Amino acid sequence: MELTETAAHPSISFETSPDVYRHWRLEIQGEVARLVWDVKEGQPLRPGYVLKLNSYDLGVDIELHDAVQRLRFEHPEVRAVAIVSGKDRVFSAGANIHMLASSSHAFKVNFCKFTNETRLSIEEACARSGQRYLAACNGVTAGGGYELALACDEILLVDDGNSAVSLPEVPLLGVLPGTGGLTRLVDKRRVRRDHADIFCTTAEGVKGRRARDWGLVDDIAPKSRFEDLVRERLSRLAAGSPQKSGPGVVLPRLNARVGAADLAYSLLRVAIDRKNRTATLHLKGPEGPPPTDAAALRRQGSEAWMLRLFRELDDAICRLRFNEEEIGLWILNSEGDPDLVSAHDSALASFSPTDWFAREIILMAARTLRRLDITARSLFALVEPGSCFAGCLLEAALACDRSYALDDRGRPLSLGLTPLNFGALPMAHGMTRLETRFQSRPEALRALLERVQGGERPRFDAREAAEAGLVTVAADEIDYEDEVRVAVEERTSLSPDALTGMEASLRFPGAESMPTKIFARLSAWQNWIFQRPNATGDHGALKCYGKPSRPVFDWRRT
Amino acid sequence: MELTETAAHPSISFETSPDVYRHWRLEIQGEVARLVWDVKEGQPLRPGYVLKLNSYDLGVDIELHDAVQRLRFEHPEVRAVAIVSGKDRVFSAGANIHMLASSSHAFKVNFCKFTNETRLSIEEACARSGQRYLAACNGVTAGGGYELALACDEILLVDDGNSAVSLPEVPLLGVLPGTGGLTRLVDKRRVRRDHADIFCTTAEGVKGRRARDWGLVDDIAPKSRFEDLVRERLSRLAAGSPQKSGPGVVLPRLNARVGAADLAYSLLRVAIDRKNRTATLHLKGPEGPPPTDAAALRRQGSEAWMLRLFRELDDAICRLRFNEEEIGLWILNSEGDPDLVSAHDSALASFSPTDWFAREIILMAARTLRRLDITARSLFALVEPGSCFAGCLLEAALACDRSYALDDRGRPLSLGLTPLNFGALPMAHGMTRLETRFQSRPEALRALLERVQGGERPRFDAREAAEAGLVTVAADEIDYEDEVRVAVEERTSLSPDALTGMEASLRFPGAESMPTKIFARLSAWQNWIFQRPNATGDHGALKCYGKPSRPVFDWRRT
């Protein structure tokens, strides 16, 4: 990734590829891969800190995210991946403390969100893409380093009397492990909570047999046998994973054109209105019919409409989150033929049971929509004539806090349902956006599902969509513009923090899952702690770390 | 409740009774009751704000909590309760803003926690005690006023073209509704999330038919028919509730003796060590055998061991939370005969299927233990010879972050399991503490359950308890004292905020429920927002409320 300057401030890019990785090496060896991290101390994302001991910053994680994504698309032959360190006796010292201590609150929170999304993409690759991950902890495995290990299917630790896994954030820094560590300990690995309590308050961590007995790691081996153990476990993981056929699909760079107030891709254009602090995301539907079979889809490769669109949307979400902090309201609209969207959706849904590439495209779209769900920005959808909010694009509208449809009898619009609306694009808590929306009317949702299962692709004009509960407001051409203008003005006048908390609470009714616990619970606590003088005040633990002075705490408990 | 001065600061008491209520009247009319709130403007808990328009502070809520508790124990004949306003055209303006704006962060957070616990006790009375609640919203129902209504089984709103329900916190104050409102809207009442979004950002709220159509209230009636509607719905709720036999049990005052460094009850003594910032809670087991049948239990009334102990513990938890903010570690120990605890547990468990009083005692113990679970203090249990950590008292030890058992062969100790450990005292997320602890070994838990179901009361000495996973550490008499001392010193040296976030994350693995969403997710966001300059800074919305100046926001989203 590179830093490019805009008029306003340095802008972070999320595009990278293995040929330009600075901190990782991706080594493919038949059906197994090694993802080697060997972080370059002197190449932080921005000047001001040194990435010692495989500590990481956003730049390191952007490469990791890219590698996980490319393994899924470009290397379908890979069935197991070992994350290994390129450094002797050090797996990772975790997120770089000096980077955190010198970052703005908003950056810290978005950094944790992005790294959490990367860890979840690893877990999804294990669960859904037949690529199992193993962490080969050859030495110090601290903080975010251990949290990365926790995201893998298996954790192996060298037993050399010295190497420990640890989450030293609470005792050393006065903050929480910010990448899901606490939740994964007790929820994913089912470590007993009192053991977890001791582990998380012991700066030096836990090593050897105790680490295994407490379930902190899956196996241990002395240094002399560690490499054998890694190889053996990796082969076993690979053998248990499904095989996929055919060559991979290379993901070329998206090459967004970044202007002072816009961001342009081939199927997405983002227009930023700095005065009103809004961004409008124009999503383009497909221009032609879908491929007729999986082979034709494979020939389209990275140019397949849905893959291209959601890769662009994913990139735009990350850029807007980090580079446009003050743009508090994102307005989504779309342009195209809803019949074509529906046809593309239906085609991919029909290929996906037997074609890994179709499946990966849908999984990628689902990850992007989940990124949208947990973005700390208000989201409005404008559904207007000429739009194509069907299927996967309807999901983007359903992810919004509100939607406004223009009910112009002279220029009718059309929303549509496709098979992808009924399970393939789930939210982080496992429910579909329609299930979330129809909580109080499950029978109405069942009726819609039956129509789709019967081969129908139900369509709704503005009024019908409002009656069915698919849009928030349908307004006629006399009222629409005013209604939207007032709603936008009101929204952008409200406290950004209160909106963030409110949206996080209203967007995920019903079920909970490990990811929603991480994003909405653990992260909320961490956000709180990051604001507290005990962590980030002049005498706070995070600020004092590495300095001779000891932190000074306000002992009042809340 | 009264304010009593200690050497250090004014101390809040949580004891009250209907004869001295200032803000509520409890009117019993056969099988229905009316709980009338008519808040005295000039009687805030501390000077500095005026309780206009049925706005409330902790003093108002302590009385409400007391009334809900007394209705369960003292008025078993009551099957439905209407919360009605004593003021014309005003139900409630919500939590008092000036009180909030002038309170410390720790107080605000603990205030919200206590009011949330009171709302949950109303919902538990509806679900478990056959006392259904109805909110008769006769006028303005704003913020915390509407959140109280949300805790009731039914919400009725007068339809006078004017009266609205509202959650104006986000638009007016830049904070969240702090008493579970957001969660109850979408999780309990299943209000559609885009409707909830509009509702929560519209300061004036929603009235009349729209309030009913969106599910914000259950029914509406014009002013002329409102009283009839309330009466009719209340009768219907009463008719659907089970009848309970026999007279109620009066709850006398506990009359804690409050010293400068201790708090003494009949079955509980709290010793505060201000230098080390710890409090030791000594819990006393029963001195005699349990009552032989439900009639004998009824004769014991409020003196029944379990009721008395848990009432005292509940009172102590509340006092320590509010009055001893710097006391960061609570150490639990117990004294008594575990066989007697086991006998009392077994007796109550056997009476409870047919006796409401036994059931209410167990429910009360469960609520108190849940209050312990979500207390933002570190909790250690010390299991030593002479202790009686069996059954309901073992639950208190299991609620702790860690437990240390002294393994002294000369003076063996004994932990024990009773039927109450297997479902009657659930945590807020619905799982038992043993289920939470045995997540990774459900088969071991099943084996213990089978022994208890077979009539056995399994007992464990220190070593056996450690092996079974019931205590964290068993140490012999040579090591025990040092081990505990070091653990206490280390714990009390850590950042209080980081510990709060860590403990909230580790204590509730597994399932989630509406209450845990409220406490761990909604509250965490609120805590964060309360710290943000956009809310509580000099130009924050909460600070500017009611003043001529408009808030000034930092627009950066996180």
Side-chain angles (χ1 to χ4, degrees):
Chain A
M1 83 260 73
E2 63 261 63
L3 278 170
T4 57
E5 291 280 337
T6 68
H9 47 71
S11 160
I12 299 168
S13 162
F14 293 79
E15 287 222 80
T16 184
S17 50
D19 52 313
V20 295
Y21 287 171
R22 295 168 181 188
H23 308 294
W24 294 88
R25 286 196 312 277
L26 179 52
E27 302 174 352
I28 311 287
Q29 298 151 343
E31 63 179 22
V32 302
R34 285 178 179 244
L35 197 44
V36 185
W37 56 340
D38 193 357
V39 175
K40 296 282 177 303
E41 288 196 3
Q43 301 206 16
L45 186 61
R46 56 180 168 76
Y49 51 88
V50 178
L51 296 172
K52 288 187 185 161
L53 299 173
N54 266 3
S55 65
Y56 62 89
D57 67 357
L58 180 63
V60 177
D61 224 71
I62 287 172
E63 292 182 2
L64 172 61
H65 178 260
D66 182 79
V68 175
Q69 177 101 307
R70 283 183 196 281
L71 275 162
R72 302 169 83 145
F73 281 101
E74 301 188 353
H75 302 285
E77 75 280 12
V78 169
R79 298 157 79 188
V81 182
I83 298 184
V84 304
S85 168
K87 299 196 194 299
D88 191 32
R89 285 182 297 178
V90 173
F91 183 69
S92 166
N96 188 277
I97 309 307
H98 302 289
M99 176 275 295
L100 281 175
S102 60
S103 295
S104 72
H105 180 72
F107 182 89
K108 276 201 280 280
V109 172
N110 274 302
F111 169 71
C112 290
K113 191 172 279 182
F114 183 85
T115 56
N116 270 312
E117 289 169 324
T118 302
R119 308 299 171 276
L120 289 169
S121 77
I122 289 174
E123 286 174 330
E124 200 199 39
C126 293
R128 306 291 304 278
S129 299
Q131 293 187 331
R132 314 285 298 273
Y133 279 72
L134 174 159
C137 304
N138 63 314
V140 174
T141 301
Y146 179 55
E147 289 178 296
L148 175 57
L150 282 169
C152 297
D153 263 359
E154 284 196 22
I155 307 174
L156 307 178
L157 176 64
V158 69
D159 184 20
D160 57 7
N162 200 25
S163 297
V165 294
S166 67
L167 290 176
E169 286 85 348
V170 171
L172 283 191
L173 307 171
V175 301
L176 302 184
T179 321
L182 299 180
T183 308
R184 283 201 178 80
L185 268 186
V186 292
D187 272 88
K188 179 181 181 179
R189 296 192 65 92
R190 298 171 177 246
V191 173
R192 227 173 68 196
R193 50 167 281 214
D194 54 345
H195 289 157
D197 182 271
I198 291 180
F199 175 60
C200 297
T201 52
T202 304
E204 63 271 25
V206 172
K207 60 195 176 193
R209 198 162 302 174
R210 172 174 272 194
R212 190 183 55 195
D213 290 349
W214 283 10
L216 302 170
V217 306
D218 294 291
D219 210 348
I220 55 176
K223 199 162 180 185
S224 60
R225 289 202 293 110
F226 188 64
E227 185 50 36
D228 285 347
L229 177 67
V230 170
R231 237 193 312 271
E232 175 204 317
R233 292 298 196 110
L234 195 59
S235 302
R236 204 189 299 172
L237 282 177
S241 284
Q243 268 182 311
K244 286 174 279 185
S245 64
V249 171
V250 174
L251 301 178
R253 293 222 168 190
L254 300 170
N255 292 321
R257 289 180 306 284
V258 183
D262 68 336
L263 197 53
Y265 303 84
S266 64
L267 295 172
L268 170 65
R269 191 165 55 81
V270 181
I272 294 171
D273 178 343
R274 292 193 197 285
K275 187 170 145 282
N276 290 311
R277 300 191 309 281
T278 64
T280 304
L281 286 74
H282 302 268
L283 301 159
K284 256 193 221 146
E287 296 202 334
T292 50
D293 56 23
L297 177 68
R298 195 72 59 94
R299 283 192 298 275
Q300 291 191 340
S302 67
E303 291 306 306
W305 170 76
M306 197 184 296
L307 176 56
R308 177 135 201 118
L309 176 69
F310 280 96
R311 282 185 71 211
E312 293 178 354
L313 178 58
D314 200 53
D315 189 68
I317 291 171
C318 292
R319 285 175 185 265
L320 287 171
R321 278 190 190 167
F322 279 93
N323 299 332
E324 300 291 347
E325 293 177 350
E326 292 206 350
I327 305 302
L329 172 62
W330 295 357
I331 298 166
L332 270 63
N333 64 30
S334 66
E335 184 191 336
D337 180 347
D339 283 336
L340 285 179
V341 175
S342 184
H344 278 254
D345 267 25
S346 301
L348 263 72
S350 72
F351 307 156
S352 66
T354 53
D355 182 67
W356 67 262
F357 180 51
R359 210 159 49 236
E360 284 299 337
I361 294 174
I362 294 171
L363 289 170
M364 202 271 144
R367 286 196 298 280
T368 304
L369 288 163
R370 287 198 291 274
R371 234 203 255 277
L372 195 59
D373 289 327
I374 63 154
T375 291
R377 300 292 194 281
S378 297
L379 305 171
F380 285 4
L382 299 186
V383 186
E384 297 173 355
S387 69
C388 55
F389 283 112
C392 62
L393 289 184
L394 178 63
E395 291 294 318
L398 294 173
C400 290
D401 299 301
R402 301 182 190 175
S403 48
Y404 291 84
L406 171 54
D407 180 27
D408 181 343
R409 298 287 150 135
R411 298 181 300 154
L413 55 79
S414 172
L415 292 93
L417 295 173
T418 75
L420 292 192
N421 297 116
F422 293 86
L425 303 169
M427 297 175 69
H429 62 353
M431 292 167 70
T432 67
R433 288 174 193 81
L434 285 177
E435 282 167 347
T436 304
R437 200 167 183 90
F438 282 81
Q439 267 199 110
S440 62
R441 298 188 298 138
E443 69 297 342
L445 182 59
R446 255 194 313 276
L448 291 174
L449 173 61
E450 278 163 21
R451 288 169 64 186
V452 171
Q453 285 175 332
E456 200 190 334
R457 298 290 173 263
R459 300 285 289 272
F460 306 82
D461 67 18
R463 190 66 41 189
E464 291 161 348
E467 272 157 25
L470 294 172
V471 297
T472 313
V473 173
D476 62 25
E477 59 274 35
I478 299 168
D479 294 332
Y480 179 79
E481 208 169 315
D482 265 2
E483 182 137 3
V484 169
R485 186 182 48 75
V486 169
V488 168
E489 277 174 15
E490 279 180 358
R491 190 64 160 212
T492 53
S493 75
L494 301 178
S495 162
D497 307 325
L499 287 176
T500 293
M502 182 191 84
E503 290 156 3
S505 297
L506 297 181
R507 287 179 184 171
F508 294 92
E512 285 274 353
S513 64
M514 192 188 72
T516 60
K517 279 182 158 184
I518 291 173
F519 287 117
R521 175 181 173 140
L522 183 59
S523 300
W525 284 112
Q526 180 77 310
N527 289 0
W528 174 67
I529 292 163
F530 276 155
Q531 289 292 123
R532 300 279 285 169
N534 283 342
T536 52
D538 286 342
H539 303 287
L542 193 59
K543 279 289 173 66
C544 290
Y545 182 73
K547 295 180 187 162
S549 61
R550 296 272 311 151
V552 179
F553 291 133
D554 174 348
W555 292 111
R556 283 176 297 173
R557 274 283 200 138
T558 47
Chain B
M1 79 265 72
E2 63 263 57
L3 278 169
T4 57
E5 290 281 336
T6 69
H9 49 72
S11 160
I12 299 168
S13 161
F14 293 80
E15 287 224 81
T16 184
S17 50
D19 52 312
V20 295
Y21 287 172
R22 296 168 180 188
H23 308 294
W24 294 87
R25 288 195 312 277
L26 180 53
E27 302 174 353
I28 311 287
Q29 298 152 341
E31 65 180 19
V32 302
R34 283 177 181 247
L35 198 43
V36 185
W37 56 343
D38 193 357
V39 175
K40 295 282 179 303
E41 287 196 3
Q43 301 206 16
L45 186 62
R46 57 179 168 75
Y49 51 89
V50 179
L51 296 172
K52 288 188 184 159
L53 299 174
N54 266 3
S55 65
Y56 62 89
D57 68 356
L58 181 63
V60 177
D61 223 73
I62 287 171
E63 292 182 3
L64 173 61
H65 178 260
D66 183 78
V68 174
Q69 176 102 306
R70 283 183 198 281
L71 275 162
R72 304 170 80 143
F73 280 101
E74 301 188 353
H75 302 285
E77 74 280 12
V78 169
R79 298 157 78 190
V81 183
I83 298 184
V84 303
S85 169
K87 298 196 195 300
D88 191 32
R89 283 180 299 178
V90 173
F91 183 70
S92 167
N96 188 276
I97 309 307
H98 303 289
M99 176 277 294
L100 282 175
S102 60
S103 297
S104 72
H105 180 73
F107 183 89
K108 275 200 283 281
V109 172
N110 274 302
F111 169 72
C112 291
K113 192 173 279 184
F114 183 84
T115 57
N116 270 313
E117 288 168 324
T118 302
R119 308 298 171 275
L120 288 169
S121 77
I122 290 175
E123 287 174 330
E124 199 199 37
C126 293
R128 305 290 305 274
S129 298
Q131 294 187 331
R132 313 285 298 274
Y133 279 72
L134 174 159
C137 303
N138 63 315
V140 174
T141 301
Y146 180 56
E147 289 177 296
L148 176 56
L150 282 170
C152 297
D153 262 0
E154 281 197 22
I155 308 174
L156 306 179
L157 176 65
V158 69
D159 184 21
D160 58 6
N162 202 24
S163 297
V165 294
S166 66
L167 291 176
E169 285 84 350
V170 171
L172 284 191
L173 307 171
V175 301
L176 300 186
T179 321
L182 299 180
T183 307
R184 282 200 179 80
L185 268 188
V186 293
D187 273 86
K188 179 182 182 181
R189 296 192 64 91
R190 298 172 177 244
V191 173
R192 227 173 68 196
R193 51 167 282 216
D194 52 346
H195 290 157
D197 181 271
I198 291 179
F199 175 61
C200 297
T201 51
T202 304
E204 64 271 24
V206 171
K207 60 194 175 190
R209 198 162 303 174
R210 173 176 272 193
R212 191 183 56 195
D213 290 348
W214 283 10
L216 302 171
V217 305
D218 293 292
D219 210 348
I220 56 176
K223 197 161 182 190
S224 59
R225 289 202 293 109
F226 188 64
E227 185 49 37
D228 286 346
L229 177 67
V230 170
R231 239 192 312 270
E232 177 204 315
R233 292 298 197 109
L234 196 58
S235 304
R236 203 187 301 171
L237 282 177
S241 284
Q243 268 182 309
K244 286 173 279 185
S245 64
V249 173
V250 173
L251 302 177
R253 293 223 170 190
L254 300 170
N255 293 320
R257 291 181 304 286
V258 183
D262 67 337
L263 195 56
Y265 304 83
S266 64
L267 296 172
L268 170 64
R269 192 166 55 78
V270 180
I272 294 170
D273 178 343
R274 292 195 196 283
K275 185 170 146 283
N276 291 312
R277 298 191 310 281
T278 64
T280 305
L281 285 74
H282 302 270
L283 301 159
K284 256 193 219 145
E287 297 202 333
T292 50
D293 57 23
L297 176 68
R298 196 72 58 94
R299 284 193 297 277
Q300 292 190 339
S302 66
E303 292 306 305
W305 170 77
M306 198 186 295
L307 176 56
R308 179 140 199 115
L309 176 69
F310 280 96
R311 282 186 71 211
E312 293 177 354
L313 179 57
D314 201 52
D315 190 66
I317 292 171
C318 291
R319 285 175 185 267
L320 288 171
R321 277 190 192 168
F322 280 93
N323 299 332
E324 300 292 349
E325 293 176 350
E326 293 206 351
I327 305 303
L329 171 61
W330 295 358
I331 298 165
L332 271 61
N333 64 32
S334 65
E335 183 190 339
D337 180 347
D339 283 335
L340 285 178
V341 175
S342 184
H344 278 254
D345 267 24
S346 300
L348 262 72
S350 72
F351 307 157
S352 67
T354 54
D355 183 65
W356 68 261
F357 180 51
R359 210 160 48 236
E360 284 300 336
I361 294 174
I362 294 171
L363 288 171
M364 202 272 143
R367 285 196 298 281
T368 304
L369 288 163
R370 286 198 291 273
R371 234 202 254 279
L372 196 60
D373 289 327
I374 63 154
T375 291
R377 299 292 193 281
S378 297
L379 305 171
F380 285 4
L382 299 186
V383 185
E384 296 172 356
S387 68
C388 55
F389 283 112
C392 62
L393 289 184
L394 178 63
E395 289 295 317
L398 294 173
C400 291
D401 299 301
R402 301 180 190 177
S403 48
Y404 292 84
L406 171 54
D407 180 28
D408 181 342
R409 298 288 150 135
R411 301 179 299 153
L413 56 81
S414 170
L415 291 94
L417 294 173
T418 77
L420 294 191
N421 297 117
F422 293 86
L425 304 168
M427 298 176 69
H429 62 352
M431 291 166 70
T432 67
R433 289 176 193 78
L434 284 178
E435 282 166 349
T436 304
R437 202 170 182 88
F438 283 80
Q439 267 198 109
S440 62
R441 297 187 300 138
E443 69 298 340
L445 182 59
R446 255 195 314 276
L448 291 173
L449 173 62
E450 277 163 22
R451 288 169 63 187
V452 171
Q453 284 174 332
E456 200 191 333
R457 299 291 172 261
R459 300 287 288 270
F460 307 82
D461 68 18
R463 191 68 40 193
E464 291 162 347
E467 271 158 25
L470 293 171
V471 298
T472 313
V473 173
D476 63 26
E477 59 274 35
I478 300 168
D479 295 330
Y480 178 79
E481 208 169 315
D482 266 1
E483 182 136 6
V484 170
R485 185 183 50 73
V486 169
V488 168
E489 277 173 14
E490 279 181 357
R491 189 64 159 211
T492 54
S493 74
L494 300 179
S495 162
D497 307 325
L499 286 176
T500 293
M502 182 192 84
E503 290 156 5
S505 298
L506 296 181
R507 287 179 185 173
F508 294 92
E512 285 274 352
S513 64
M514 192 189 70
T516 59
K517 278 183 160 184
I518 290 172
F519 286 119
R521 174 180 171 138
L522 183 58
S523 300
W525 283 113
Q526 180 77 309
N527 289 0
W528 174 67
I529 292 164
F530 276 155
Q531 290 291 122
R532 298 280 285 172
N534 282 342
T536 52
D538 287 340
H539 303 287
L542 193 59
K543 279 287 172 68
C544 289
Y545 181 72
K547 295 182 189 163
S549 61
R550 299 271 313 150
V552 179
F553 291 134
D554 174 347
W555 293 113
R556 282 176 297 172
R557 276 283 200 136
T558 45

